[in-house]
């Protein structure tokens, strides 16, 4: 059995040690960055989660470091334009990007067969990590084994392979994806309008978007209950929906579905990070990483995001790099299977 979901958890202690090892911003870096202009690109429309995070981070980063940070939304090309602008940055144009590690990996694999996003860009810090969740329409029960065909709303077909297609295979559900929706709000609205059966968004977004309406958070793509909503069914592991739906099937089929579920748990989570091109000098990137660390760990950012109702779960410095490296390795193991979905 493939134990991919253990990959991240097995080094949790190492990551916690690395967090504590991050130093405060040096005086040299403070002098280097003070007064310089910087752009934080948001590859999504204004008003959503990424936009909220960016607009909370920018003033804190400016106040703590002396950088003059502006936030720019650019959702053209489904975020591709913003990514390319960030990759084209230099020491003369400090352009950062806030985006999901999974989305960046998907995009790079599609356009350049580039599997390792860290070969092109550097992570300055991770703002929040959350598993994905399935939001089902009214009357649909994830435990109902007669539920074998579902249609999902997503932004593009390519960003659905793990959280929709592979998760569906783990559950024994054939899925179809309708693309073209513009973000989590539109995804859930499509479910409410009964244009589709379900969608996938981050777990925190799912809880917020379904409050007080007919859609419901039917499944969290994890291997254990989530402390924020422990009654929501989870995908993998003992007590998970996969094994419940697979009861009575052959050992071979249960093994196959379990492997798919473990891949989903490892690869589908939303990791909201801030990135900059490796074309920017190492010295400048190191200074920006120190600046971002100080900002992400600050009380000012914590208070600002609390006012917005947005969770903060920062991971900085070497710890952020370590987590992304583990996810990239896991994705590499899953690539042969994921490639089948693009044919």
């Amino acid at each position: 059995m493939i134990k991919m979901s253990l990959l991240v958890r097995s080094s949790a202690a190492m990551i916690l040690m690395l967090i504590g090892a991050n130093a405060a911003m040096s005086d040299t870096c403070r002098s280097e960055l003070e007064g310089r202009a910087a752009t934080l690109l948001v590859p999504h429309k204004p008003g959503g989660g990424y936009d909220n995070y960016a607009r909370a981070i920018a003033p804190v980063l400016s106040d703590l470091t002396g950088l003059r940070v502006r936030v720019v939304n650019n959702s053209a090309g489904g975020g591709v334009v913003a990514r390319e602008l960030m990759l084209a940055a230099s020491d003369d144009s400090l352009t950062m990007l806030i985006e999901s590690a999974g989305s960046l990996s998907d995009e790079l694999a599609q356009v350049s067969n580039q599997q390792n996003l860290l070969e092109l860009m550097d992570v300055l810090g991770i703002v929040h990590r959350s598993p994905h969740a399935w939001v089902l329409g009214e009357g649909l029960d994830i435990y109902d084994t007669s539920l074998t065909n579902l249609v999902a709303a997503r932004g593009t077909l390519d960003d659905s392979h793990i959280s929709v297609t592979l998760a569906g295979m783990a559950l024994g559900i054939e899925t179809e994806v309708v693309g073209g929706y513009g973000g989590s709000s539109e995804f859930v609205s499509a479910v409410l309008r009964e244009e589709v059966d379900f969608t996938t968004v981050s777990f925190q977004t799912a809880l917020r978007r379904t409050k007080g309406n007919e859609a419901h958070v039917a499944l969290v793509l994890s291997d254990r209950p989530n402390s924020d909503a422990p009654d929501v069914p989870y995908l993998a592991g003992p007590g998970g929906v996969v094994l419940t739906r697979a009861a009575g099937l052959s050992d071979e089929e249960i093994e196959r579905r379990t492997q798919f579920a473990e891949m989903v748990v490892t690869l589908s989570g939303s990791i909201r990070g801030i990135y900059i091109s490796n074309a920017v000098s190492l010295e400048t990137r190191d200074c920006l990483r120190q600046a971002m660390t100080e900002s992400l760990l600050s009380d000012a950012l914590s208070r600002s995001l609390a006012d917005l109702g947005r969770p903060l779960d920062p991971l900085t410095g070497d710890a952020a790099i370590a987590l992304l490296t583990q996810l990239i390795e896991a994705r590499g193991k899953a690539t042969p299977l994921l490639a089948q979905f693009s044919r």
Side-chain angles (χ1 to χ4, degrees), residues 80 83-84 87 101-118 120-121 158-159 161-162 328 331-332 334-336 338-339 342:
V80 172
R83 185 198 69 220
E84 292 303 312
L87 289 175
S103 294
L104 287 172
S105 293
D106 287 342
E107 292 166 5
L108 291 172
Q110 290 297 318
V111 301
S112 63
N113 200 32
Q114 173 59 260
Q115 298 298 323
N116 188 345
L117 62 88
L118 292 179
L120 297 177
M121 62 192 76
D158 293 330
D159 72 359
H161 296 331
I162 297 169
I328 290 164
R331 189 178 185 84
T335 294
L338 298 178
S342 300

Side-chain angles (χ1 to χ4, degrees), residues 185-203:
S185 177
E186 291 190 18
F187 296 169
V188 176
S189 293
V191 176
L192 292 172
R193 293 193 299 268
E194 299 184 353
E195 296 173 1
V196 296
D197 301 309
F198 79 108
T199 190
T200 64
V201 293
S202 75
F203 187 54

Side-chain angles (χ1 to χ4, degrees), residues 1-6 9 162-163 165-172 219-224 234-238 240-244 246 253-269 337:
M1 184 182 297
I2 301 173
K3 295 294 184 182
M4 296 183 69
S5 62
L6 297 178
R9 296 200 304 273
I162 297 169
S163 63
T165 308
L166 190 57
M169 292 170 65
L171 293 163
L219 179 68
V220 56
L221 302 186
S222 68
D223 56 3
R224 64 191 65 188
Y234 55 95
L235 181 74
V241 177
V242 166
L243 291 180
T244 302
E253 179 62 14
I254 293 173
E255 174 78 5
R256 187 180 79 95
R257 293 190 184 188
T258 298
Q259 290 182 10
F260 292 157
E262 290 174 347
M263 290 184 190
V264 171
V265 170
T266 301
L267 297 170
S268 70
L337 177 62

Side-chain angles (χ1 to χ4, degrees), residues 2-19:
I2 301 173
K3 295 294 184 182
M4 296 183 69
S5 62
L6 297 178
L7 186 62
V8 175
R9 296 200 304 273
S10 64
S11 57
M14 178 194 73
I15 289 177
L16 289 173
M17 289 173 61
L18 288 170
I19 293 173

